[in-house]
Amino acid sequence: MMNASAQPLIRLEGLTKVFYTDEVETHALAGIHLELRQGEYVAIAGPSGCGKSTLLSLLGLLDSPTEGGYWLNEKPVAELSLAERTRIRNQEIGFIFQNFNLIGDLSVFENVELPLTYRGMAAAERRERVGEALDKVGMGHRAKHLPSQLSGGQQQRVAVARALVGRPLILLADEPTGNLDSKNGEAVMELLRELHQDGATVCMVTHDTRYAKHAERAIHLFDGRIVEETKAGEAVEVG
Amino acid sequence: METLWQDLRYGFRMLARNPGFTAVAVLTLALGIGANTAIFSVVNAVLLRPLPYEEPERLVMVWNELTKEGLPQLWFSEPELIDYRQRQQSFEGMAAFSGGGGNLTGRGEPLRVTAANVSANFFPLLRVDAFLGRTFTPEEDTPGNDRVIVLEHGFWQRRFGGDPAIIGETVSLSDNPNTVIGVMPSGFTFPDGTVDLWTPLAIDTADPNGRGSHYLRVLARLKSGVTFEQASADMHNIAKQMEQDYPDYYRPDRAWNTYLIPLHESEVGEVRSALLVLLGAVGFVLLIACTNVANLLLARAAVREKEVAIRAALGAGRLRIVRQLLTESVLLALLGGSGGLLLAMWGTDGLVLLSPAGLPRLNEIAVNEWVLGFTLLVSVIAGVLFGLVPALHASRPDLHNTLKEGGRSAAGAGHHRLRGLLVVSEVALTPPGVSSWRNCRPTRPTFRSVISRATTAIPLRATSGRWG
Ligand SMILES: Nc1ncnc2c1ncn2[C@@H]1O[C@H](COP(=O)(O)OP(=O)(O)OP(=O)(O)O)[C@@H](O)[C@H]1O
Ligand SMILES: [Mg+2]
């Protein structure tokens, strides 16, 4: 999968994030260097509070770094306008959250439809794409249900459908199995692996080493720094 | 267009999902918008609608003044009316009228009635025909031939049960037999709503009474092609001639002058500012209602923060989010407006019942298409007004924190305190609102109350009458 000659899909240089709360500075990320290539499946692992979610938020343009550079598809993200950032979140990034983050007042179908709606896609095409995505995650028969009428595992599958329906460049998943039992967790991991095999670029946060093994590459964070990188199971010391 | 439909559908769903919030907001808005609609229906009928006569802008009231004596509003005496009628070139005619009345007997209990004594050209100048029968002929407008009466429509209904056979019947007015010759159309109550019937003025032109007996109000219609200014100049010139022709009476040191007031101005001029103040007051009430609803929305925005953040994360632009939230608030305002309209329909009935004596054009107050348009406009404006701040506020969520597991959802207690305060001030504002409605009366006495004075000779005194 890795192609050395191709430009990286994502490049981070010295990425730093500091949170300021009541005169307390929290250095959530301290100088992250990272490259993700098209078609890669990368896991981000590490103990609680080490900065995994923060990193994924920055990657997903949900937040901005305090310092450092972020190039998405060779474009410096810092120079993007608000509207451009919104467009990229809509078209190039699919986000999967630990707590699903489905909208409770919308049906399963409408939830999955949202990214396409915001893209201005015609209704007929939306219907077709949403149908495909729901079928892919095995939720086609629950299109009219509300999220509250589904189990946790089903909700997360809907969330996965929502993330992939827009055919984004990259899927970002923040502990997608965190709120699921092991059976449902396995099912969602299986889904991500299938998507990856179909060509999707996946970046997943997990602190569960079993799931990290699903990835081709695992990046280990500690205290806001990358301390270790492992490839397909074997451990490799960084720097 | 499709987006609007989606926003509307979602808006309805959100309102249905939160019935408590929706009920409180709609009720608050219904009160605010209803009050505005009710007052506007009065303003519309009284101030904005043209008078219900043909080419009403050409109707004027003619007044005299003695500037140097500080008498700005003088009616006409009989000799003056005769002189001015002969000399003027601006009007199709000058109609005179004065207050009258008496005891009506025949067909039922004797009844004290309010009459207007009018010259024969009074109805033709207003371009109003009888609904049944006819109005007065010039012959009937002479002494000795004037035992005829024309009935006001409502009075005809009340007193005679709307019986058309009343035409030609003789009734007795203050012990004199009078023949009923006509009934006016419904809604025609000139000079004001207190009139029950009309009788001929019947001035004795051969032997008019004293030049100092100013008891006639004069209504005139501009000839086509004659402007208000030209007619005013005409009146001014005649006044100057009068000073020359009757130097003993119109002494230059008294500065006799004659001037015109448009009939509409004359009818409603005195209540205009009171009504506008009232409209301003209810506008303020609506503003407070909007603030309250805005606070409700702000409190709810905290609850909805997560939803908005999800939408933003999925690629909803700020404008899109603001538009969706605004659609919801305009929807809310339209629901409130519908409620307000219902309240206003009852409310205007109440306003008419509570109305101060002498408020002109009361019978024309109605919730019509103008009022509907006003309500719609006010509702949309209100919706944007109370929706904009919460929408703008909500449209910039902190995505990273809001979307995290257990993202914060705090509703500031400050909102609640502020809201309580606003409700209190709204309640406190209501009594002045009611009393300013009661104050919407002309400063002049009503027709009924000036009858006794008007029917007696008033020697050169500034008596301002209701029919100015
Ligand atoms: N909005 C914020 N304000 C202040 N500090 C924050 C904020 N968000 C995160 N942090 C801090 O930044 C650090 C990294 O947080 P982050 O959520 O990225 O950790 P994490 O690796 O995802 O942990 P977990 O595995 O528990 O989800 C933590 O010390 C956290 O307290
Ligand atoms: Mg986390």
Side-chain angles (χ1 to χ4, degrees):
Chain A
M1 268 292 168
M2 286 180 71
N3 182 347
S5 71
Q7 293 298 337
L9 184 61
I10 281 174
R11 183 156 60 92
L12 305 180
E13 274 182 17
L15 205 69
T16 299
K17 180 69 184 181
V18 184
F19 291 106
Y20 300 92
T21 39
D22 301 330
E23 297 172 18
V24 179
E25 287 185 16
T26 309
H27 291 256
L29 293 175
I32 300 285
H33 294 270
L34 185 66
E35 287 191 359
L36 296 184
R37 292 179 186 279
Q38 184 85 47
E40 259 196 302
Y41 189 166
V42 177
I44 297 172
S48 183
C50 69
K52 304 183 295 292
S53 292
T54 305
L55 177 58
L56 217 64
S57 273
L58 294 179
L59 288 179
L61 303 188
L62 299 181
D63 205 352
S64 301
T66 313
E67 255 175 60
Y70 172 9
W71 285 262
L72 179 63
N73 241 345
E74 291 300 292
K75 272 178 293 185
V77 163
E79 291 171 13
L80 296 177
S81 69
L82 217 64
E84 265 292 294
R85 290 170 68 91
T86 304
R87 190 196 64 77
I88 288 175
R89 279 202 301 269
N90 180 244
Q91 304 193 350
E92 299 180 8
I93 291 166
F95 222 108
I96 302 164
F97 304 90
Q98 178 177 351
N99 53 342
F100 324 138
N101 276 336
L102 298 174
I103 295 177
D105 286 320
L106 298 184
S107 69
V108 163
F109 185 95
E110 288 168 325
N111 265 288
V112 177
E113 190 186 24
L114 269 187
L116 305 183
T117 306
Y118 291 142
R119 210 176 276 194
M121 187 181 282
E125 195 182 351
R126 288 205 308 264
R127 220 171 2 255
E128 191 180 317
R129 294 267 290 264
V130 172
E132 270 175 33
L134 283 176
D135 285 342
K136 188 169 266 171
V137 301
M139 293 296 296
H141 59 302
R142 292 293 168 91
K144 292 215 171 85
H145 286 60
L146 289 176
S148 57
Q149 298 167 323
L150 303 178
S151 75
Q154 288 172 326
Q155 289 189 46
Q156 192 59 303
R157 269 143 68 188
V158 173
V160 172
R162 182 180 64 185
L164 63 88
V165 73
R167 295 175 192 157
L169 284 176
I170 182 162
L171 280 175
L172 301 176
D174 191 352
E175 309 218 33
T177 60
N179 279 346
L180 303 178
D181 59 28
S182 60
K183 182 165 158 287
N184 277 308
E186 278 297 340
V188 168
M189 292 314 297
E190 186 55 35
L191 206 54
L192 287 180
R193 194 159 48 205
E194 277 173 31
L195 291 172
H196 171 238
Q197 272 159 9
D198 291 348
T201 310
V202 180
C203 182
M204 175 186 68
V205 163
T206 182
H207 52 228
D208 191 324
T209 45
R210 282 177 301 148
Y211 293 141
K213 282 179 191 140
H214 283 274
E216 298 169 315
R217 192 151 70 105
I219 287 149
H220 298 267
L221 286 185
F222 189 81
D223 255 1
R225 293 170 204 281
I226 297 179
V227 291
E228 192 185 279
E229 201 175 314
T230 53
K231 259 185 195 169
E234 67 195 90
V236 175
E237 288 294 330
V238 174
Chain B
M1 198 55 220
E2 204 214 330
T3 332
L4 178 67
W5 175 236
Q6 279 172 341
D7 286 349
L8 276 177
R9 234 177 20 184
Y10 188 71
F12 267 120
R13 224 186 290 173
M14 287 307 289
L15 297 182
R17 286 278 157 77
N18 301 281
F21 163 82
T22 305
V24 170
V26 166
L27 202 69
T28 307
L29 290 167
L31 288 173
I33 296 175
N36 277 267
T37 300
I39 296 302
F40 177 79
S41 68
V42 176
V43 168
N44 180 51
V46 174
L47 300 185
L48 303 181
R49 299 284 80 216
L51 293 169
Y53 313 117
E54 202 179 297
E55 295 185 81
E57 68 285 353
R58 283 170 51 207
L59 290 167
V60 294
M61 294 300 296
V62 189
W63 284 93
N64 300 304
E65 61 185 343
L66 281 171
T67 359
K68 294 247 171 85
E69 305 214 339
L71 302 175
Q73 283 189 307
L74 283 170
W75 297 334
F76 278 70
S77 64
E78 292 178 3
E80 283 162 357
L81 179 67
I82 294 165
D83 286 336
Y84 276 76
R85 273 179 169 167
Q86 269 169 6
R87 297 172 190 218
Q88 67 84 13
Q89 289 160 359
S90 311
F91 304 128
E92 284 180 16
M94 296 171 78
F97 56 97
S98 74
N103 289 316
L104 184 85
T105 49
R107 282 222 199 175
E109 293 292 299
L111 184 70
R112 177 87 195 152
V113 294
T114 305
N117 305 320
V118 304
S119 59
N121 62 349
F122 173 86
F123 297 109
L125 275 187
L126 288 169
R127 302 263 200 280
V128 183
D129 254 340
F131 167 71
L132 276 181
R134 57 178 181 83
T135 58
F136 307 124
T137 62
E139 291 69 46
E140 286 163 344
D141 190 18
T142 53
N145 304 316
D146 57 344
R147 296 277 171 237
V148 285
I149 61 178
V150 168
L151 299 175
E152 192 268 323
H153 194 274
F155 180 72
W156 171 58
Q157 298 277 349
R158 287 193 303 276
R159 173 73 185 190
F160 302 109
D163 179 10
I166 192 69
I167 303 292
E169 220 172 88
T170 300
V171 295
S172 162
L173 187 58
S174 298
D175 299 331
N176 292 312
N178 276 263
T179 309
V180 177
I181 60 162
V183 175
M184 292 311 286
S186 166
F188 179 83
T189 58
F190 196 84
D192 76 22
T194 63
V195 69
D196 296 320
L197 51 87
W198 293 268
T199 57
L201 185 60
I203 290 173
D204 189 348
T205 45
D207 181 22
N209 64 16
R211 189 164 285 278
S213 178
H214 293 90
Y215 77 99
L216 295 170
R217 274 127 292 175
V218 172
L219 167 79
R221 180 181 279 275
L222 297 176
K223 279 183 188 164
S224 76
V226 173
T227 65
F228 184 83
E229 287 70 27
Q230 286 166 340
S232 296
D234 189 15
M235 289 301 108
H236 186 68
N237 287 336
I238 297 174
K240 287 275 154 274
Q241 290 172 19
M242 301 288 280
E243 281 185 342
Q244 278 163 16
D245 295 356
Y246 308 94
D248 293 344
Y249 194 82
Y250 307 104
R251 294 198 317 263
D253 61 322
R254 307 180 85 177
W256 173 259
N257 187 35
T258 305
Y259 63 96
L260 306 178
I261 295 179
L263 182 60
H264 184 264
E265 178 64 27
S266 158
E267 287 277 281
V268 306
E270 295 202 324
V271 295
R272 174 178 288 126
S273 51
L275 276 180
L276 292 182
V277 164
L278 200 54
L279 193 63
V282 291
F284 192 61
V285 170
L286 180 58
L287 217 59
I288 289 173
C290 282
T291 320
N292 284 336
V293 177
N295 273 299
L296 284 179
L297 282 174
L298 274 177
R300 213 164 63 110
V303 179
R304 295 186 63 180
E305 201 177 15
K306 191 134 201 159
E307 176 215 325
V308 171
I310 293 171
R311 289 174 180 272
L314 295 177
R318 188 158 187 225
L319 204 71
R320 185 80 165 75
I321 291 172
V322 168
R323 205 172 57 188
Q324 185 202 319
L325 295 175
L326 271 188
T327 304
E328 274 181 55
S329 51
V330 169
L331 203 61
L332 203 59
L334 288 176
L335 287 177
S338 312
L341 208 58
L342 284 179
L343 288 180
M345 282 170 173
W346 299 325
T348 42
D349 292 347
L351 280 180
V352 170
L353 284 178
L354 274 176
S355 71
L359 185 74
R361 310 184 71 183
L362 265 184
N363 56 332
E364 294 172 47
I365 294 171
V367 175
N368 55 20
E369 72 273 17
W370 292 91
V371 176
L372 280 179
F374 171 84
T375 307
L376 188 69
L377 189 74
V378 163
S379 301
V380 171
I381 291 175
V384 172
L385 207 66
F386 68 71
L388 198 60
V389 169
L392 288 176
H393 173 83
S395 67
R396 302 196 90 154
D398 175 351
L399 298 182
H400 169 65
N401 282 314
T402 312
L403 295 174
K404 275 204 307 209
E405 180 78 32
R408 72 194 156 82
S409 65
H415 284 319
H416 297 277
R417 228 174 298 125
L418 184 61
R419 218 184 307 152
L421 208 72
L422 285 165
V423 170
V424 167
S425 55
E426 179 169 4
V427 170
L429 208 99
T430 311
V434 169
S435 63
S436 46
W437 169 242
R438 296 293 298 170
N439 284 335
C440 259
R441 71 169 65 91
T443 49
R444 293 169 294 178
T446 63
F447 184 27
R448 210 186 280 278
S449 70
V450 297
I451 287 170
S452 51
R453 270 187 291 163
T455 46
T456 56
I458 299 160
L460 261 188
R461 276 209 34 221
T463 306
S464 57
R466 160 73 196 97
W467 300 347

